Amino acid sequence: MSHRYRATRSDARVSDLKHRSSGPSRWSHCRKRGIDGSLRTHSDEDVDDGLSDSRHSSFTTPESAGPVSRCGRSSDWGSQVENEKMRQDVHRDMQRYRRRILSAEVSQRERKASSGSSGSCDSREGENIETDEAVLMRRQKQIGYGKNTLAYDRYIKEVPKHMRQPGVHPKTPNKFRKYSRRSWDQQIKLWRVKLHAWDPPAEGSQENTLSDNIEELDLEDIVDIELDFPALADSQNASTSLPVHSSSAEDQDCSATPVKIQKTEEPNMA
Amino acid sequence: MENSSEDYRIQSFDVDTQKLLKTALKDPSSLDLEKVSNIIVDQSLKDPLFSKEAARICYTIVQAEAKQNNGTVFRSHLLNRLQQEFKEREQMRKRSLQEWVGYVTFICNVFDYIKVNNMSMVALVLPVYECLMRLAEPDALLNEEEVECLVLQLHRIGEQLEEVSSQRMDELFFLLRDGFLLEEGLTFMARLLLLEILEFRAGGWMLSSTAHKYYYSEIAD
């Protein structure tokens, strides 16, 4: 739908200058350096408006969205409003998340102080939040694609949060944690694969086949399993973070490993 | 909310279209929402009186789609169609004043009714201002229907617009003052409307009771 538009003079006032990004050749906008080796800057030498889209060939369309491009042409009003809403939602989520982290940290510190133990859990998650808006928006979009499926709908209806077992039931990746790009993308991929277990009956999947899905994964992809030590997530070259024990990630709280908290509490229960 | 379709004055449509709109109000995801949005926009352009109802219909469809599946397909189609028309607004105005006035009325009503996170849609702010500034230009002030449209929209959304950008509202009112003072071809009604809107904004988007009496009282001395 966006391809109907041709740039007009009034368009130049209203639209975003960002998307006028193509260079002299069809593919040159993909290249970081020009033919003489110098870094490319965005120039106004548009060949044709239609070529200035920087869409990836493997672009996938989310299930129920309309035919509006989400990559290059975000100057249409529909996308502008969507993006603005997403930005606002991401910021609101971040405030909420920060509050939860801080309150969890405070109560944890109080517990440790009173019990006199020196737990080694990494409770400084509040300082380790992903705050880059572009990253958060990208992650939120990916999460959105997954949540916008029939499978997700059926899943949340079938399994309430308090009944979820870590490892068995898919858990939405925590966009506020620091992960490498690869790590994050892999978490999303695994999450969406797990969700397929709840695809509508026509595909014939029920929860029983969940384990089959998991076994189908190439286990070489899973090099590192995160055990709630976020700092380690990026240390491997092909690390996959399966938040197996960090069930708290669902609520985006830092509660370390539940086991440790129970242990520190026991001496107090005398 | 269960509004009977009479609330939306859709009787002017043919029976099939009426059925389509009724479905859109309750079960939007089952429909071709691009088609629905085009039908609504087309009618608003033809019939300025329908514009306000049209925006309410759009609001209801947006809510219904969000409730059904968190979808925003209808809103996107609506906005992109409005954008299309906006790009050709000068031609539209030359072609038909009525269409142009219908368009401005509609886009301002959409701005008023359809909010995102309880705030005005960011993409519409500048376009709305551009439309109103166009209406405040000397050639437009000569046409009573354009002046009427301008003051009507300012009454409805002026305060909101000023909140979003007071600088642009100031620019608009510079134009209005100039027009009021300098344009010789203005009709009496046009001058009255302009004077009223100048006082209205100066009073913080409301008229003092005495001013109200002056402008709206039926009893003339």
Side-chain angles (χ1 to χ4, degrees), chain A residues 1-2 55 59-71 76 78-79 82 145 148, chain B residues 31-34 65 69-78 80:
Chain A
M1 189 177 184
S2 60
R55 293 178 67 158
F59 179 70
T60 50
T61 314
E63 267 89 346
S64 66
V68 179
S69 146
R70 286 174 193 265
C71 277
D76 66 87
S79 302
E82 304 255 353
Y145 295 161
N148 200 17
Chain B
L31 299 175
D32 175 354
L33 292 172
E34 183 175 3
E65 197 194 339
N69 59 4
N70 266 319
T72 58
V73 175
F74 177 76
R75 187 180 70 197
S76 291
H77 284 305
L78 177 67
N80 294 338

Side-chain angles (χ1 to χ4, degrees), chain B residues 82-137:
Chain B
L82 284 175
Q83 184 177 16
Q84 228 180 309
E85 299 293 336
F86 180 75
K87 284 183 173 151
E88 328 244 294
R89 61 194 183 281
E90 208 49 50
Q91 295 93 304
M92 189 200 298
R93 181 174 179 273
K94 288 200 183 82
R95 186 171 63 234
S96 158
L97 263 188
Q98 190 191 19
E99 238 185 86
W100 161 240
V101 165
Y103 174 77
V104 179
T105 309
F106 184 53
I107 192 177
C108 289
N109 274 291
V110 167
F111 178 84
D112 191 19
Y113 276 112
I114 301 183
K115 304 274 196 249
V116 169
N117 282 345
N118 280 324
M119 300 198 299
S120 315
M121 288 193 281
V122 63
L124 291 186
V125 175
L126 291 186
V128 164
Y129 265 116
E130 302 246 350
C131 288
L132 296 180
M133 306 266 280
R134 182 63 184 89
L135 290 174
E137 281 175 31

Side-chain angles (χ1 to χ4, degrees), chain A residues 8-20:
Chain A
T8 63
R9 220 159 3 108
S10 60
D11 188 26
R13 274 194 292 164
V14 175
S15 71
D16 200 325
L17 283 172
K18 268 192 275 172
H19 75 273
R20 309 186 78 221

